[in-house]
């Protein structure tokens, strides 16, 4: 009974002091470049009609754009050093500028590729690289659900704005659709984020006391970026994230054309994007709740196994729109969960000492998987006329990710000269009465 009361006190203390940061992260992530990626298939038919680009051309442009992810670790290091606000502002302005440039493109494919690359430079400053850096030290017992709620922002905006952007494109054209995304980022998302972060401590403290004197205090510790990269678990975690993105994002960018190929009307195919958004919300929140109570690695393996089976199901004839929507939902469940899981496991396994750099490097690996998946789905469709081979690769990649998660052991580790970390990697250290 006493333990339950202490847990309740810790829960209230964490959320009382941190809800504004979680809400800011929801909004910032929600209006980031992930929204453009998630809604990209809405633009594919219009771009094909306007410029004669194939699905593979458009997919390759998106894949090349994600080479901007090479700068993510560097930007993460700047967030570690200078704090998140300057990085958030700069990244949002870069994103909006890139989207406005795409809206003005004249049909030269290289111009489109360059502008997608510019927009991709904003990834680090509008993702868990920055926002997870703020959330992780504030939430220990409920870190999983806090990150799940924060990263669900992109799922919510995908659900809400998928029909809105589709209507804008239908009424005013694809250029207006890109301008709408730019306006949402610069004039809605950024002001709200800065307002919510006003007065909130966003630097990395050495200690974050929990409001109850009987509760432990959080001591920042962990590996340096170089130490993390020497740990084999780092590469297995990054490999799992890359495989998940190969499978999931490749299909996400082809959802509307995939639905049309399966006999759906355009409005019915748009429901697949809605299903993807719902899977993101459920995946993030469910993963966040579960990893606070059960072993994170086994939970991740179970989610990846479910998604692998759903990708295999998409290879079979699926009767009816409802069944296809449900199959897409379960195929995308792990992708939704992964966006919560990766920052959680980064803090858990490697600590907070160099969180921005470490998570930024892992995110770069994941984004190379994203680029590979986007190009693979588009080009294999162009060469074979359907998505069969791509879906086979996706199912195998997701199954391999499940196996990699099972190899991520929680061995105790200590950074030189820093507090120990192992469980939540925040280094929970009991206080003693004087």
């Amino acid at each position: 009974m006493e333990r339950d009361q202490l847990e309740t006190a810790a829960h209230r203390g964490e959320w009382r002091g941190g809800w504004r940061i979680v809400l800011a992260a929801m909004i910032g992530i929600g209006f980031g470049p992930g929204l453009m990626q998630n809604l990209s298939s809405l633009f594919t038919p219009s771009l094909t009609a306007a410029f004669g680009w194939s699905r593979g051309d458009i997919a390759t442009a998106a894949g090349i754009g994600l080479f901007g992810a090479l700068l993510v670790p560097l930007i993460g290091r700047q967030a570690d050093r200078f704090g998140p606000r300057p990085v958030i502002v700069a990244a949002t302005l870069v994103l909006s500028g890139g989207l406005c440039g795409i809206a003005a493109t004249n049909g030269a494919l290289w111009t489109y590729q360059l502008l997608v690359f510019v927009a991709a430079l904003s990834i680090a400053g509008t993702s868990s690289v920055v926002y997870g850096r703020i959330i992780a030290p504030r939430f220990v017992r409920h870190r999983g659900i806090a990150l799940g709620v924060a990263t669900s922002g992109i799922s919510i905006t995908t659900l809400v704005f998928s029909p809105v952007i589709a209507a804008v494109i239908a009424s005013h054209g694809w250029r207006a659709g890109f301008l709408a995304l730019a306006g949402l980022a610069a004039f809605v998302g950024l002001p709200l984020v800065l307002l919510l972060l006003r007065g909130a401590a966003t630097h990395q403290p050495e200690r974050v006391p929990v409001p109850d004197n009987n509760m432990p205090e959080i001591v920042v510790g962990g590996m340096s970026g170089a130490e993390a990269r020497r740990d084999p678990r780092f590469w297995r975690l990054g490999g799992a994230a890359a495989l998940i993105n190969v499978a999931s994002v490749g299909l996400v960018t082809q959802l509307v054309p995939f639905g049309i190929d399966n006999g759906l009307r355009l409005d019915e195919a748009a429901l697949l994007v809605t299903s993807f958004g719902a899977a993101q919300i459920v995946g993030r929140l469910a993963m966040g709740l579960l990893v606070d109570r059960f072993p994170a690695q086994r939970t991740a393996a179970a989610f990846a196994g479910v998604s692998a089976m759903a990708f295999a199901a998409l290879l079979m004839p699926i009767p009816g729109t409802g069944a296809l929507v449900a199959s897409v939902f379960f195929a995308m469940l792990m992708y939704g969960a992964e966006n919560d899981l990766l920052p959680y496991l980064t803090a858990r396994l490697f600590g907070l000492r160099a969180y921005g750099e470490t998570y930024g490097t892992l995110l770069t690996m994941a984004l190379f998987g994203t680029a590979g998946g986007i190009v693979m789905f588009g080009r294999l469709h162009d060469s074979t006329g359907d998505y069969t081979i791509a879906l086979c690769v996706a199912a195998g990649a997701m199954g391999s990710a499940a196996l990699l998660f099972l190899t991520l052991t929680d061995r105790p580790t200590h950074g030189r000269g820093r507090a120990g970390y192992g469980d939540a990697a925040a280094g929970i250290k009991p206080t003693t009465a004087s």
Side-chain angles (χ1 to χ4, degrees):
M1 184 67 176
E2 181 180 354
R3 181 177 179 180
D4 291 340
Q5 291 173 343
L6 293 176
E7 288 281 350
T8 301
H11 174 84
R12 290 174 179 170
E14 287 182 344
W15 284 100
R16 187 182 299 116
W19 70 268
R20 290 169 63 90
I21 287 176
V22 172
L23 181 57
M26 283 183 66
I27 295 169
I29 294 171
F31 289 110
L35 182 61
M36 178 184 74
Q37 175 183 281
N38 291 353
L39 301 184
S40 61
S41 64
L42 295 174
F43 293 90
T44 299
S46 298
L47 291 172
T48 299
F51 302 124
W53 299 339
S54 71
R55 297 180 193 179
D57 291 333
I58 296 169
T60 301
I64 292 173
L66 285 172
F67 276 97
L70 288 171
L71 295 179
V72 170
L74 174 63
I75 297 172
R77 192 177 301 132
Q78 301 312 305
D80 287 337
R81 183 176 180 184
F82 299 111
R85 285 189 183 88
V87 176
I88 290 169
V89 172
T92 304
L93 295 178
V94 167
L95 171 62
S96 297
L99 289 169
C100 289
I102 292 172
T105 189
N106 59 6
L109 186 59
W110 72 267
T111 304
Y112 177 72
Q113 293 170 342
L114 176 62
L115 291 166
V116 172
F117 175 84
V118 170
L121 293 176
S122 68
I123 290 172
T126 54
S127 70
S128 295
V129 173
V130 169
Y131 292 109
R133 187 75 171 82
I134 310 170
I135 291 171
R138 280 187 169 271
F139 291 86
V140 177
R141 288 167 180 77
H142 304 91
R143 180 182 293 164
I145 188 58
L147 287 168
V149 171
T151 56
S152 70
I154 185 61
S155 311
I156 295 170
T157 55
T158 297
L159 278 173
V160 172
F161 290 103
S162 174
V164 173
I165 298 300
V168 169
I169 293 171
S171 300
H172 304 288
W174 61 270
R175 297 182 191 274
F178 282 114
L179 289 175
L181 290 176
L184 287 170
F187 301 117
V188 179
L190 182 59
L192 288 174
V193 167
L194 294 178
L195 179 65
L196 287 164
L197 291 181
R198 180 184 297 172
T202 56
H203 62 283
Q204 178 64 63
E206 287 299 320
R207 294 174 184 269
V208 181
V210 179
D212 190 295
N213 289 332
N214 293 317
M215 300 305 296
E217 60 183 358
I218 307 163
V219 182
V220 175
M223 298 181 183
S224 67
E227 288 170 338
R229 290 190 292 273
R230 289 196 292 269
D231 190 321
R233 297 174 302 169
F234 175 90
W235 299 101
R236 293 198 292 268
L237 178 58
L243 288 169
I244 290 167
N245 286 9
V246 164
S248 303
V249 186
L251 180 58
V252 166
T253 56
Q254 300 289 326
L255 277 175
V256 171
F258 174 74
I260 292 172
D261 287 356
N262 278 272
L264 303 185
R265 301 189 310 270
L266 181 59
D267 59 330
E268 293 174 331
L271 291 175
L272 300 183
V273 180
T274 302
S275 178
F276 159 65
Q280 284 196 305
I281 293 176
V282 173
R284 283 168 165 82
L285 296 181
M287 181 63 75
L289 287 169
L290 290 171
V291 297
D292 285 335
R293 292 163 175 79
F294 303 103
Q297 294 88 326
R298 294 179 186 177
T299 304
F303 271 65
V306 169
S307 289
M309 289 187 287
F311 271 105
L314 289 172
L315 288 162
M316 306 172 189
I318 300 176
T321 303
L324 190 58
V325 167
S327 297
V328 167
F329 174 87
F330 286 108
M332 293 297 148
L333 197 60
M334 182 64 234
Y335 179 58
E338 183 250 358
N339 286 274
D340 174 25
L341 185 72
L342 189 57
Y344 178 90
L345 284 176
T346 300
R348 180 183 183 90
L349 298 177
F350 310 112
L352 299 178
R353 177 181 171 189
Y355 175 89
E357 179 183 352
T358 303
Y359 178 64
T361 308
L362 288 167
L363 183 60
T364 298
M365 296 170 66
L367 290 172
F368 274 113
T370 295
I374 291 172
V375 174
M376 177 191 74
F377 265 79
R379 289 300 179 187
L380 283 177
H381 179 274
D382 284 357
S383 61
T384 64
D386 59 37
Y387 294 102
T388 300
I389 296 177
L391 289 171
C392 287
V393 173
M398 197 66 76
S400 299
L403 296 176
L404 283 174
F405 281 125
L406 293 176
T407 70
L408 300 176
T409 55
D410 268 337
R411 66 174 184 268
T413 318
H414 299 275
R416 289 194 300 271
R418 311 290 288 192
Y421 57 98
D423 176 28
I428 301 179
K429 177 181 174 182
T431 57
T432 57
S434 55

